[in-house]
Amino acid sequence: MSTQNPKAARVAINAAPGMTNGTTKAAPAATGAKRAVGTSRPRASLVDVATLAGVSSGTVSRALTRPDMISQATRERVLAAAQRLGYVANGAARALVMRRSMTVGALVPRFGGSSFPTMIQALESTLAAADYTLLLSAPEHSRGQGPAALAALLERGVDAVALLGAQHPPQVFAALTAHQRPFVMMWAQHSPQGVCVGFDEGEAASLLVDHLAALGHREIGFVGGRTEHNERARRRLLGLTLAIARHGIRLAPQAMLEVDYGFAQGFEAMTELLQRGLTITAVVCGNDYLATGALAALAQAGVPVPGQLSVASFNDNDFAAYLYPPLTTVRLPIREMGEQAGHYLLQRLRGAQPQHQALLPVELIVRQSTGYAPRAQE
Amino acid sequence: MSTQNPKAARVAINAAPGMTNGTTKAAPAATGAKRAVGTSRPRASLVDVATLAGVSSGTVSRALTRPDMISQATRERVLAAAQRLGYVANGAARALVMRRSMTVGALVPRFGGSSFPTMIQALESTLAAADYTLLLSAPEHSRGQGPAALAALLERGVDAVALLGAQHPPQVFAALTAHQRPFVMMWAQHSPQGVCVGFDEGEAASLLVDHLAALGHREIGFVGGRTEHNERARRRLLGLTLAIARHGIRLAPQAMLEVDYGFAQGFEAMTELLQRGLTITAVVCGNDYLATGALAALAQAGVPVPGQLSVASFNDNDFAAYLYPPLTTVRLPIREMGEQAGHYLLQRLRGAQPQHQALLPVELIVRQSTGYAPRAQE
DNA sequence: TTGTATGCGTTATCAC
DNA sequence: GTGATAACGCATACAA
């Protein structure tokens, strides 16, 4: 290979000092041999590229990251060499000296089947556009494992962190500030601990309740998620309670059920409400899954909707309303939360200190029965 | 603080050399001052802990990672010091010398609204149990951006990679082997490029078709996903075609529709099939979303299911069948794929070379109408 | 058992 | 514009 280009000879000479370095490597190389027997050399480094291009490693570094600081000629030579060796920068070394990893951590509880994926997806895509990569940590239960999971993220050198919700053990915030990592809380509002990206749960509830009140409903029920370990379910219930109180209408205690989010739970909860023989004329559901299950229960029981009982729902996934148009929903800005969280973190990482406390808009959706209903208004 | 413990005095003395180091840091410290004006010191390092504990940095390193190589007394002293400083290891430095980052990359296309989240979740949780963290990369379109996204992952030093599907540009596999990174292809079977974790699409199709054939159906339709850019949709169609051919029954070309996955698409596709006035007696749907939309269309059209038209579906999310029990489905091992992919990679990372080509089982689910149907068999 | 010294691959500070 | 060289923080081989 060195016969091909006159410069290559010079390379060989220049390589001498580097080779000294290489000889010293004998011991580590033996360690490296612990892996497969293969003839495979360790991945090319800056020095390798430099050697091949006949320049110093510093020049290679600049050619790759600050092309305009380098002469046209050498730049091309370096790029060619890098290309030929399939050079890929070692992010660990870079992170070590740069003190940043181009990595952002996301700390969210398990997200199977819920709307978190949409949010995470939006977050990832926003960050990716700025060359950041998302390190995902999804501890089993939101309580307990948070600090440990965060430690794992910090240890991996994340430059910033996105959290779900505002309620975390103090150690979480302590570690975050101790490590001086920008962070943002998604699906939350008004935390004294830092910046939140979310929406006004109270407003969302108001939209639904205003609508129901305007239709003349005076007594309504609520089938929501379990509040004990779910900050969002808690805030949702609170918002609803306040909105209802404002209208002077009634949320009967017997018409309130806390269940896990799910089709079956919605079905069973609604069945239970029907059996209780209440006088409610409307039911609000905490999310799509519950609403869908509830509507199935009503359909089976032959209860006309909204003829006899109105149903409204908070809408994470936009499918309950789709399946059952008479359902009035509030569309929650799931994707938007991920995007805004990403944008905020990126600004922080660029050194800005944006006051990003804005709440994202929610939207009431009252559909006409356009045809997708299995059995609307029967 | 140093007056509290006699040993602390010794610490101060031993600290001298360390402090020299600290003084040398003056320039870097100034660089660090580029950020906020704060009084904040850079995060504690091994040396800081060593200084505080009155031992060498090597001892601290061992005390933290190989506790059994250290005497009880010093170990406790070191741990206390680390605790007090809130020491968190610098993963970049560790990765640089260890040549591994305890990080695994996942390269999957956008996953909003599909079943990928379930799989990713399972993958993450499996890896987390072994102290690995997941670096998520979700390029916009599966084609094109793959290599760049992979490069980003490799640059960040991922120890292994999980891919979705087996069809990737050659550069992807080239880079993976060049960097000697174990990888696994999820939702795929039999790739010459490497190990797959998936299920037998043909078997899944057979389960459905066998069932339909046993019920006497001789001519069926198919509403599936778009095959052009979707490897899984393609394999699904292929499996179905083969199963149908085996039974000598007929999949009429006019009864085949390729659409995007979604409720509306399923609804419209089914509406279209009805309008075509075909003689089919059963329709297979490519996934839950399509099936749900299709069933809504049938319900609206007043077509009894399965009385007049049977519907069967591949089942990613288990909700279509839930909402509409007469729907026969094949449960696909989504979560299991994530788990197995994780386990395989972990084994590889431990140095094993498992022959992990097993296909995960699929399961035919024929439900009785247990009560969750809005209007079963009407 | 513990201390010392070296290298991991990169960026940045200096000279040239 | 380019080449040496010193960190970055950690793990480890080798001495003690």
Side-chain angles (χ1 to χ4, degrees), chain B residues 124-197:
Chain B
E124 192 274 343
S125 122
T126 302
L127 294 174
D131 272 325
Y132 280 86
T133 299
L134 193 72
L135 254 177
L136 186 62
S137 183
E140 182 83 41
H141 297 296
S142 49
R143 65 180 181 287
Q145 315 209 25
L150 177 62
L153 291 178
L154 290 174
E155 198 158 316
R156 272 138 184 100
V158 293
D159 297 334
V161 174
L163 304 169
L164 186 78
Q167 301 191 349
H168 304 273
Q171 326 152 33
V172 165
F173 297 109
L176 247 14
T177 59
H179 287 260
Q180 308 188 117
R181 290 291 172 270
F183 66 94
V184 63
M185 291 166 279
M186 304 182 290
W187 210 315
Q189 30 182 72
H190 306 136
S191 168
Q193 305 286 0
V195 169
C196 298
V197 168

Side-chain angles (χ1 to χ4, degrees), chain A:
Chain A
M1 91 176 46
S2 55
T3 61
Q4 193 174 350
N5 184 341
K7 282 171 189 160
R10 198 162 61 81
V11 167
I13 293 167
N14 284 355
M19 293 308 284
T20 304
N21 188 10
T23 325
T24 317
K25 276 188 221 169
T31 313
K34 190 184 294 177
R35 62 161 174 265
V37 206
T39 57
S40 56
R41 30 154 214 223
R43 63 196 263 186
S45 78
L46 267 192
V47 180
D48 300 322
V49 178
T51 305
L52 180 58
V55 296
S56 78
S57 65
T59 300
V60 176
S61 174
R62 284 180 287 246
L64 261 32
T65 59
R66 286 165 166 60
D68 42 318
M69 287 181 63
I70 288 290
S71 79
Q72 168 90 13
T74 52
R75 191 194 324 150
E76 286 176 356
R77 206 139 41 83
V78 168
L79 259 46
Q83 174 83 29
R84 199 145 89 71
L85 293 178
Y87 171 76
V88 170
N90 183 325
R94 177 177 286 169
L96 185 57
V97 62
M98 299 277 285
R99 292 158 177 288
R100 62 200 173 91
S101 62
M102 299 304 281
T103 275
V104 169
L107 193 58
V108 299
R110 299 258 157 132
F111 52 76
S114 83
S115 51
F116 297 172
T118 304
M119 202 174 55
I120 295 297
Q121 166 64 53
L123 177 63
E124 192 275 343
S125 121
T126 302
L127 294 174
D131 272 326
Y132 279 86
T133 300
L134 193 73
L135 253 177
L136 185 63
S137 183
E140 181 83 40
H141 297 297
S142 49
R143 65 179 183 287
Q145 315 209 25
L150 176 63
L153 291 178
L154 290 174
E155 198 158 316
R156 268 122 185 120
V158 292
D159 297 333
V161 175
L163 304 168
L164 186 78
Q167 301 191 349
H168 303 273
Q171 326 152 34
V172 165
F173 297 109
L176 247 14
T177 59
H179 288 259
Q180 307 188 116
R181 290 292 173 270
F183 66 95
V184 63
M185 291 167 278
M186 303 182 291
W187 210 317
Q189 26 181 41
H190 307 137
S191 169
Q193 307 286 0
V195 169
C196 299
V197 168
F199 57 92
D200 187 333
E201 289 274 3
E203 183 190 351
S206 286
L207 288 179
L208 286 184
V209 175
D210 290 354
H211 178 76
L212 292 176
L215 292 177
H217 296 279
R218 311 305 302 164
E219 188 166 14
I220 69 184
F222 179 55
V223 176
R226 297 203 184 277
T227 54
E228 187 179 5
H229 296 304
N230 187 331
E231 175 189 345
R232 288 155 299 286
R234 208 150 44 222
R235 286 176 46 214
R236 189 149 300 174
L237 175 58
L238 176 63
L240 190 72
T241 308
L242 294 176
I244 284 178
R246 234 188 351 266
H247 277 283
I249 64 182
R250 180 171 142 79
L251 177 54
Q254 303 98 323
M256 280 185 47
L257 253 30
E258 274 189 26
V259 300
D260 291 327
Y261 285 140
F263 296 119
Q265 287 77 10
F267 184 94
E268 286 153 13
M270 182 56 86
T271 304
E272 170 68 22
L273 287 187
L274 290 179
Q275 285 176 347
R276 290 187 184 176
L278 303 163
T279 56
I280 55 175
T281 58
V283 171
V284 175
C285 293
N287 78 353
D288 294 59
Y289 291 90
L290 294 179
T292 306
L295 287 165
L298 291 174
Q300 182 188 315
V303 175
V305 178
Q308 179 178 332
L309 191 64
S310 286
V311 179
S313 171
F314 296 90
N315 178 9
D316 294 350
N317 298 285
D318 196 30
F319 65 76
Y322 186 86
L323 290 174
Y324 210 93
L327 178 66
T328 291
T329 65
V330 172
R331 194 190 87 84
L332 305 180
I334 307 294
R335 178 176 51 75
E336 290 84 345
M337 283 192 287
E339 284 173 357
Q340 289 305 312
H343 285 137
Y344 169 76
L345 289 180
L346 288 176
Q347 289 188 48
R348 287 297 308 274
L349 289 169
R350 288 189 196 109
Q353 295 275 350
Q355 281 308 324
H356 213 282
Q357 291 285 0
L359 290 179
L360 300 167
V362 291
E363 182 189 5
L364 183 74
I365 300 181
V366 182
R367 290 177 210 240
Q368 303 303 324
S369 201
T370 49
Y372 295 125
R375 280 284 145 180
Q377 326 245 16
E378 156 173 327

Side-chain angles (χ1 to χ4, degrees), chain B residues 88-108:
Chain B
V88 171
N90 183 325
R94 177 176 285 170
L96 185 57
V97 60
M98 299 277 285
R99 295 157 176 288
R100 61 201 173 91
S101 61
M102 299 304 282
T103 274
V104 170
L107 194 58
V108 299

